[in-house]
Amino acid sequence: MGTTDSKLNFRKAVIQLTTKTQPVEATDDAFWDQFWADTTTTVQDVFALVPAAEIRAVREESPSNLATLCYKAVERLVQGAESGCPTEREKQVILNCTRILTRILPYIFEDQDWRGFFWSTVPGAGRAGTDELDDDDGARPLAESLLLAIADLLFCPDFTVHSHKRGPDSVENMQSIDSCEYIWEAGVGFAQSPPLNYIHDLNRTELLRLLLTCFSEAMYLPPSTDNSVLNPWVTFFCSTENRHALPLFTSLLNVVCAYDPVGYGIPYNHLLFSDYREQLVEQAVQILIVTLEHDGGVPYRPPSPSSMEEQETTGPENLFVNYLSRIHREEDFDFVLKGLARLLTNPLTQTYLPNSTKKIQFHQELLVLFWKLCDFNKKFLFFVLKSSDVLDILVPILYYLNDARADQSRVGLMHIGVFILLLLSGERNFGVRLNKPYSIHVPMDIPVFTGTHADLLIVVFHKIITTGHQRLQPLFDCLLTIVVNVSPYLKSLSMVAANKLLHLLEAFSTSWYLFSAAQNHHLVFFLLEAFNNIIQYQFDGNCNLVYAIIRKRNVFHQLANLPSDSGSIQKALQRKRKSPDVISRTSSQETVSMEGSHPAVPAEPGTLKTSLVAMPGIDKLTEKSQVSEDGTMVSVPKTDSPDTVPSDQTEMERRRLSSASSTSFWAPTPEWVLSWKCKLPLQTIMRLLQVLVPQVEKICIDKGLTDESEILKFLQHGTLVGLLPVPHPILIRKYQANAGTAMWFRTYMWGVVYLRNVDPPIWYDTDVRLFEIQRM
C-alpha cells in the first residue's frame, strides 16, 4: 500500500509542477521535497510518472520552475555528498534526486536555449535578473556542483562502498576520505577485492546512469569534424577538479575487466538470481568509452569568463586518457587483456544445455574500449601482439563480423571489428601470430577447413564480401588491406583459403565490375599485391596457393589483356545491367558449414538502428610504411602509388561518387582504363606461370596424373629461386586517425549507448541530432 501512496504523491507533485503558472520559490521546501523526500519510486516509476510532454510543457511555460527543480535536486545531491548520507532516508533522497535528474536532463539538452543553464551560477540564472551573477563570482556553475557531488557519492561509505569503520563513530568524514582506499574492485593498481554488496552495485549503477546522462549532451549537437570542440561535462569531470578521477577510473576499469558473467559455473545461474554486477559493468564500460573520447582541447563553452584567457589553446588534460596511457605493468596488461577476451568470448561459448549460461550483450562497448586501449597505450598494443593471446581477441571479432554480415542494423559493429583488425594488421607480429593452428572450433556459418588463424580470417572475409549485405561494400577496401598487410608473413594457406582468395580475384576482375565504379580496380591491386607478397616471401610453404593460381591462370591472362576500347567498355556495362549482383556467389565452391552454426540473418523488422557518418576512404584511413631489412618501418611519402589513381583525380571521382546520383556523373573512358591497367603488378605471377605451368603439364602427361596431391607434392619441392623478379619491398598500410574517423567513432559510440539504454529509455523520443534513429 505504501508504495502505491508514494507513487500517487509523486504524481500529484508532478501535476502541481506542470499546472503552476506562477514561479514557486526555491525556499518552499514543503513543495520541492514532495519530489524526493517521502517517496520510494524506482527509476522506471520516475520515467512513467514524468511524461515527456509534461517536461517540455514546464520548460516552455514555466521555465523558472524547471530551473528551480534542477537546482534543488542538485542541492540535495551536494548536501548528501557532504553529509555522507548516514540515514536510510537520506540515501533514498539521493536516489530519488538522481532519478529525477536522469529523466529531465535530456530535455534540457534538446533545447538550445537551455543548454547553457547548467553552466551558469544559479539561482541567478533561474530568474529574470542576471546582474547578481557578478556578486556571485565565487559560486560554481550548477554542472560542476552536480559532477563533483556524483564523484563524491560514488565513494560514499555504506552507500556505494564498503565502510572501513565500525562502531559508534562509524560515520566517516566525506571531506577527508581517501577514495584510493575504496576502489571498487581488485585489478590495475589495487590488490584487495572488497566484499560483493548488491545494494552498493545498484546505487553505483544509478549514479553512473546519471553521469552518462550528463555526458550525453553530445547527442544533441549535429555531427562536426571539428575535434577541438569538447564535451564540457566530460572535460570538467576528467580534470584535476575531480579529486576522485584516479580511483574512479581504476574502479570502472577493474569492475569491467574482473567481471565473469558465468559466475560459479552453475548452469542456469543467471535465471535463478539477478546479476546486479552486470548492470554496473554495462554502465561502467559506457562511462569509460565516453570519457576516453577526448584527450584535451577546447571545451566549446568556457566554464567561466575568467578562465577564457588560460584556455585559448588547449583545455585541461583528460585524466582518464592520461591514466589509461600510463598503465605499464605486465600484470596489469595481462589482467585487462584476459578480462576483455573472457567477456568478448562469452557470447560464443557453446554448452550442451540450451541457454544455460549467461550471454552478455555489451560486446560493442568492449570493442570500443579495446580500441581505445590500443590507440592511447602503444605499450598495451605491443603486449597484445607479443603472444598468441591476440588470437583470443581475433576469434570473437571474426565471429561477430560473420554473424552480423547480413544484418543492416549491425553495420556499426562490422566497422568497429574491421577497424580493430586494420589497426592490428599494421604490426608485423599480428601476421606472424596468425600462423598458429586454429583448433577451437567456434560454431560459425563458414566452410569447414583445417588450417591456421590466417585461414579463418580469409574464409570469414570471403563470406562477408560474397554474402554480406550491400552496405558493407565500403569495407571491402579495408578487408583486403588487412589481407595485404598480413600476407608477407603467412607461412602456409590451406586449399580452402587459397581458393577463396582466387574466387575474390575472379569476381573483382570481371570487366563489368572493373568498369562499373571508379574505385573497383583498387580491389584487384590489393589481391595481386597479397599474392606477390606470398610468392616472394613465403613461396616454400604455400603450394596450395601456387596450385590455385595455376588452376585459375586464365584470370591473370584476362587481366593482362583487359580490353580498354570504348566498344568493349560499353559491352561490359550492358552485361552488368543483365546481372546486377555485385559478386557471383555461385562460382565459389560452397562446402558444408560448421556443425552447430546458425546462418547469418537480416535484422528483425522493427529493429531500431542509429545512422552513422560516412567513413573516410582507405587512402585517408591509412598511411604507407615500408619494412626495411632489419624489420623496422619507414614512412613512405605520399605519392601516386601504383594502386591509386593520381590524387587529384581520385578526389574528383570521390566528389562525383558521393554526390546524390553518383552513377550519372562518372563514366569509364579508355584513357582511365589505361591509366591503371599499365600499373597492374602482374610480373611476378606471370613469371611464376611461365616457369611452372609447362612443368606441371609435363608431369601430368608423363605420369598420366590427374591427382592433385601428386602435383602439390611436386610444387612443394619446387623452387623459383633466381627465376622471379627482384622481391619488392614490403608495404604496410598502417591505420591513421583523422577528423573523419574521430567523428565516425563519436556517432557510433553514442548510437550504441542510445540503443542499449532502453530500461529506462533515457533518450528515447528526444530530439537527438548527432545521428538519426531509423526503424528497420
Side-chain angles (χ1 to χ4, degrees), residues 183-201:
I183 288 170
W184 301 348
E185 185 57 80
V188 175
F190 195 67
Q192 302 90 327
S193 196
L196 264 182
N197 181 320
Y198 81 94
I199 302 281
H200 292 171
D201 276 0

Side-chain angles (χ1 to χ4, degrees), residues 499-687:
N499 284 333
K500 296 299 178 204
L501 285 177
L502 276 137
H503 173 239
L504 289 179
L505 182 71
E506 200 174 1
F508 290 144
S509 62
T510 59
S511 52
W512 70 256
Y513 186 73
L514 285 171
F515 298 157
S516 59
Q519 262 97 15
N520 283 357
H521 63 282
H522 292 181
L523 302 173
V524 170
F525 276 87
F526 286 136
L527 284 163
L528 292 175
E529 191 178 334
F531 293 149
N532 288 341
N533 282 341
I534 294 173
I535 293 165
Q536 292 279 20
Y537 292 98
Q538 300 290 348
F539 179 81
D540 288 353
N542 274 297
C543 58
N544 288 327
L545 181 69
V546 173
Y547 179 61
I549 288 173
I550 291 173
R551 280 189 49 216
K552 293 280 183 186
R553 57 191 178 278
N554 62 323
V555 177
F556 299 95
H557 291 301
Q558 280 166 1
L559 259 177
N561 299 313
L562 184 76
S564 56
D565 59 287
S566 299
S568 303
I569 292 174
Q570 288 317 309
K571 213 179 282 178
L573 292 174
Q574 275 155 2
R575 266 206 306 279
K576 181 202 174 184
R577 284 183 203 109
K578 288 178 200 144
S579 59
D581 197 359
V582 181
I583 290 171
S584 117
R585 302 183 177 201
T586 46
S587 58
S588 165
Q589 308 80 13
E590 271 313 323
T591 41
V592 187
S593 279
M594 294 171 76
E595 196 183 335
S597 66
H598 303 286
V601 288
E604 293 277 325
T607 306
L608 287 181
K609 67 183 275 280
T610 53
S611 63
L612 291 163
V613 292
M615 267 316 297
I618 194 74
D619 49 334
K620 301 265 191 307
L621 261 184
T622 54
E623 70 171 11
K624 291 184 184 164
S625 296
Q626 202 166 300
V627 180
S628 51
E629 284 180 16
D630 60 353
T632 54
M633 293 208 189
V634 186
S635 195
V636 178
K638 273 198 172 15
T639 56
D640 298 337
S641 56
D643 63 331
T644 51
V645 214
S647 52
D648 51 341
Q649 206 174 328
T650 337
E651 209 36 63
M652 265 159 41
E653 280 158 9
R654 174 158 292 146
R655 225 167 282 146
R656 286 191 206 143
L657 280 166
S658 63
S659 60
S661 53
S662 53
T663 41
S664 59
F665 277 82
W666 182 83
T669 61
E671 297 73 39
W672 170 77
V673 176
L674 289 169
S675 72
W676 54 261
K677 181 186 160 183
C678 64
K679 295 175 187 166
L680 284 166
L682 286 164
Q683 303 83 335
T684 301
I685 292 169
M686 288 308 194
R687 184 77 185 120

